[in-house]
Amino acid sequence: MPQYVSVTTACVVGALGVAQLSAEAFVSAPSAGRWQAEPRVGRFGDVESQPLPQAAAPPSSTGLVAYGVGFGAVAAMLHSAGSRRGVGRSAMKAAESEIAVKEKEKGELSKVAYLKNIPRTIMEAKLLDKILAMTPKEKWEDPDEDSYLYTLKMYAETYGPGKATKMGWWDYYSMKLDMPGDEDIPDLEDIAEVQQEFDWLMDGKMRFGIPGPAGIWYNGALIQYKGKEPFAGDQIVSILTDGSFGRQYVENMAFYREGLRPWQRGIEIGMAHGYFLIGPFVSLGPLRNTPEAATVGLLCGCAIVGIVSIGGLIFGATIKPTLFDKAGDRPASGFNEMINWHAVGGLGGAGFAHALLTVFGSAA
């Protein structure tokens, strides 16, 4: 179809251009001196003038479009026929190469004595192919004793044409119990996928998955979860802590920003908490449709700020974090200062939000 459209368009445009040039060059009014015919004397002596030659009428647009469409259809059919012949030749070559590979594998199997004629009661041909694909060719003749191929060799050398033709029920049951099923032998693609996963883990990478209701969806991206030093247990790389945007965002928070005093950190964190805490109580509380909604939200926000401040003081008194302490200060002095100012900032943020709701009437 693309070839048909391109060839048709080219032919129509070219034909229209040629027709336009032809019309401008050859269709014109005849001049009196050049195209006037010589007079001819008739039978009765009268003078007859010879008719002027007429130029051919230019082709119409409909005819040009039909010409281009027809030419494009013929070109497309010829191209499609050539493409089909090329695809057919490629398919024949692929089939021939596949047959050659199978013949080569049959030749290699014929060199191993116990693999020539294995009854289906012992093992199916499909399962045998999967086991041979997992085993190196140099070990087909003498497989490892802990492999499935070794067990198959023992049964094939014991039972078969020219050997024992009867098997006890216990031997048959043990054989079927020891032999793997088709689902027990992984395909080559599964082995390659497992090896790829292992290589990624050794390099500190893992697939990025999105959790969903039916499992995890992998989108093809990789996450570098391990740092440059493989023996450092604390070097776990994540998008939040090691990404440029996430790192800048976290470092600009009041708790981690450098150059601030403890009281500055506390008042900034408290103002942000108090300003946003009263919103759910005002909009979703049981008194949301009453004039007292803003006041109730203010009281609830102040209560939560007080509870959090008390919990922070208890944490500082027991754990005694020294993150914001200066040299010579008692343990947790900087942290307790931050918590105290957090309470002040929380009450101020809640009061400011209450003032906005009251003045602008958003709580009504």
Side-chain angles (χ1 to χ4, degrees), residues 142-180:
D142 188 15
D144 297 333
E145 294 186 1
D146 57 347
S147 63
Y148 293 120
L149 197 58
Y150 181 82
T151 305
L152 174 64
K153 181 181 179 181
M154 296 295 102
Y155 281 105
E157 291 180 349
T158 305
Y159 301 96
K163 307 168 188 175
T165 56
K166 292 184 179 181
M167 182 184 297
W169 69 270
W170 177 253
D171 292 337
Y172 183 80
Y173 175 76
S174 300
M175 180 189 69
K176 290 300 181 182
L177 187 64
D178 295 337
M179 283 295 175

Side-chain angles (χ1 to χ4, degrees), residues 43 55 68 146 171 175 189 196 226 230 241 325 333:
R43 179 181 303 177
D146 57 347
D171 292 337
M175 180 189 69
E189 292 80 5
Q196 183 65 60
K226 190 167 60 176
T241 59
D325 293 347
S333 61

Side-chain angles (χ1 to χ4, degrees), residues 161-215:
K163 307 168 188 175
T165 56
K166 292 184 179 181
M167 182 184 297
W169 69 270
W170 177 253
D171 292 337
Y172 183 80
Y173 175 76
S174 300
M175 180 189 69
K176 290 300 181 182
L177 187 64
D178 295 337
M179 283 295 175
D182 186 56
E183 66 278 357
D184 297 331
I185 304 298
D187 297 330
L188 295 179
E189 292 80 5
D190 298 337
I191 298 175
E193 184 177 356
V194 172
Q195 183 63 35
Q196 183 65 60
E197 292 277 355
F198 180 78
D199 295 339
W200 284 340
L201 290 176
M202 292 297 100
D203 294 336
K205 301 177 182 178
M206 64 182 303
R207 293 189 295 173
F208 181 74
I210 301 175

